[in-house]
């Protein structure tokens, strides 16, 4: 029925078998961000760094979304705002805020992610952004889940 | 980013559901099936008037419907509209789950190649474990702690 989560944020945490320094680089460096999210990423990975991320398979047909780094404190905090309009400065009310917190955990890293801004901007916008950003990588999303799903089916039969 | 026709409707929906008091009201309505402003007010730390205002917002978002029964209107949750709201939440959440899985895969593969590089650079004998770096790789305590665990739900 109603999920336990609040409706104005998404919160996730996961353990990664890599040092906080490595994880920080993967979540903040545009070179790496391109590998896990948009097709293009152009921004300085420093506090206040403004730029854009692009979705699309070729350069002529790229949808650009505004992106601005809020805080960058290696290797423990990286936050940014995205989806504000061109020419606007990213702020509460015109963009979604994503905060990554990193904490050493054993040999690896505990990564926490919180995205907020849905109350101010509306979920339809977030959904459109999410679908746009991920339809290309749909298989990346479904393939890792397949074994789990098959397992569920087996358990049911 | 393009906004579609449904944006206004969905914004109403989400501001309706974004308020903690209105979520409590929805919870009560889901549990009880139906309630009046008076009976909701009795169970919540707000006045009947405040409850009535919240019900107007929920009604406008299509999350509740009023049925006239007796002297006071009874309110019910619109299950389809609520399911729609929850599905939107799930879509955005799933997008982040897939991004985080990719982050994990990339970071772990970088770490593995770093560790391999470090072993061959700093120590001529690759079998010799690097003292501070990975104290007990061989007897990793938790075998069930597989990569995708905890990110799927």
């Amino acid at each position: 029925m109603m999920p336990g989560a609040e409706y104005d944020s998404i919160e996730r945490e996961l353990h990664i078998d890599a040092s906080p320094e490595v994880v920080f680089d993967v979540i903040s460096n545009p070179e790496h961000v391109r590998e896990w999210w948009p097709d293009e990423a152009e921004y300085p990975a420093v506090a206040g760094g403004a730029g854009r991320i692009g979705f699309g398979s070729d350069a002529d047909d790229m949808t650009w979304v505004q992106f601005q780094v809020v805080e960058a404190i290696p290797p423990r905090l990286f936050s940014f705002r995205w989806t504000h309009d061109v020419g606007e400065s990213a702020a509460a009310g015109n963009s979604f805020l994503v905060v990554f917190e990193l904490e050493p955990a054993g040999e690896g890293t505990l990564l926490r992610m919180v995205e907020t801004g849905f109350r101010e901007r509306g979920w339809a916008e977030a959904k459109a952004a999410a679908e746009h950003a991920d339809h290309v990588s749909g298989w990346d999303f479904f393939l890792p889940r397949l074994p789990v799903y098959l397992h569920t089916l087996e358990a049911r039969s | 980013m393009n906004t579609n026709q449904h944006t206004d409707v969905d914004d109403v929906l989400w501001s309706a559901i974004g308020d903690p008091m209105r979520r409590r009201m929805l919870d009560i309505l889901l549990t009880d099936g139906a309630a009046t402003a008076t009976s909701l007010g009795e169970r919540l730390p707000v006045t009947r008037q405040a409850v009535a205002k919240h019900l107007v917002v929920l009604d406008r978002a299509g999350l509740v419907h009023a049925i006239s029964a007796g002297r006071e209107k009874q309110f019910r949750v619109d299950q389809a509209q609520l399911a729609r709201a929850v599905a939107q939440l799930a879509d955005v959440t799933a997008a982040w789950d897939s991004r985080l899985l990719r982050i994990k895969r990339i970071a772990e593969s970088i770490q593995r190649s770093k560790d391999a590089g470090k072993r061959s650079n700093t120590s001529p004998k690759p079998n010799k474990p690097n003292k501070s770096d990975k104290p007990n790789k061989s007897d990793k305590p938790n075998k069930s702690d597989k990569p995708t665990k905890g990110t799927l739900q």
Side-chain angles (χ1 to χ4, degrees):
Chain A
M1 203 63 54
M2 306 267 287
E6 291 294 307
Y7 286 98
D8 45 13
S9 71
I10 293 175
E11 298 183 29
R12 282 291 186 266
E13 66 174 54
L14 80 166
H15 179 87
I16 299 179
D17 287 325
S19 69
E21 287 76 12
V22 167
V23 176
F24 187 88
D25 197 35
V26 172
I27 58 169
S28 61
N29 184 338
E31 299 286 320
H32 283 307
V33 171
R34 278 203 286 262
E35 296 171 34
W36 59 264
W37 187 17
D39 299 291
E40 291 296 337
E42 301 171 353
Y43 59 87
V46 295
R52 57 184 193 168
I53 53 177
F55 301 93
S57 46
D58 64 286
D60 298 333
D61 189 28
M62 193 69 68
T63 302
W64 292 101
V65 177
Q66 299 300 296
F67 184 100
Q68 183 165 358
V69 178
V70 177
E71 284 183 289
I73 308 170
R76 50 182 195 86
L77 179 71
F78 183 73
S79 60
F80 62 84
R81 288 188 169 275
W82 67 301
T83 69
H84 43 289
D85 287 334
V86 178
E88 278 189 18
S89 186
N94 72 1
S95 51
F96 300 116
L97 173 67
V98 175
V99 179
F100 283 111
E101 286 179 299
L102 299 78
E103 196 179 291
E107 293 176 52
T109 303
L110 182 66
L111 178 66
R112 283 197 198 88
M113 188 285 303
V114 180
E115 181 167 37
T116 50
F118 305 112
R119 270 181 88 164
E120 298 85 354
R121 297 218 71 194
W123 282 83
E125 182 94 2
K127 193 189 172 196
E131 281 179 347
H132 192 82
D134 278 306
H135 79 275
V136 182
S137 341
W139 282 108
D140 277 351
F141 169 52
F142 285 108
L143 284 178
R145 282 165 169 69
L146 206 50
V148 177
Y149 177 60
L150 292 175
H151 186 76
T152 316
L153 287 183
E154 277 167 23
R156 268 188 212 149
S157 60
Chain B
M1 187 115 289
N2 287 342
T3 50
N4 60 39
Q5 297 175 328
H6 302 296
T7 302
D8 290 346
V9 177
D10 287 332
D11 285 349
V12 170
L13 180 61
W14 282 104
S15 64
I17 217 166
D19 181 89
M21 185 56 66
R22 290 197 282 270
R23 287 203 297 275
R24 284 180 69 179
M25 290 170 58
L26 286 171
D27 275 337
I28 293 172
L29 289 172
L30 282 168
T31 312
D32 293 2
T36 62
T38 307
S39 67
L40 282 168
E42 282 163 4
R43 299 176 58 177
L44 293 165
V46 287
T47 62
R48 189 198 166 281
Q49 284 77 7
V51 168
K53 275 185 189 167
H54 284 308
L55 283 169
V56 168
V57 176
L58 289 171
D59 187 35
R60 206 162 50 212
L63 285 163
V64 299
H65 291 305
I67 326 143
S68 292
R71 275 187 298 173
E72 205 184 344
K73 273 195 250 176
Q74 292 253 354
F75 288 87
R76 275 178 193 283
V77 171
D78 184 311
Q79 301 275 359
Q81 182 73 335
L82 182 64
R84 194 165 148 264
V86 172
Q88 285 196 17
L89 174 73
D91 280 350
V92 181
T93 305
W96 269 112
D97 279 340
S98 67
R99 288 171 206 153
L100 289 167
L101 273 181
R102 292 196 286 272
I103 288 171
K104 181 179 169 73
R105 280 207 299 263
I106 294 163
E108 290 180 351
S109 119
I110 292 170
Q111 186 71 55
R112 276 195 299 274
S113 56
K114 272 198 170 191
D115 290 346
K118 203 179 285 174
R119 275 198 298 275
S120 56
N121 284 340
T122 59
S123 157
K125 289 164 223 154
N127 285 342
K128 199 165 194 175
N130 194 329
K131 49 180 165 51
S132 62
D133 210 27
K134 31 181 62 206
N136 48 6
K137 179 92 186 170
S138 52
D139 54 339
K140 216 170 185 177
N142 194 353
K143 275 226 152 108
S144 68
D145 193 9
K146 283 298 176 199
T148 56
K149 196 191 160 211
T151 62
L152 295 169
Q153 300 307 319

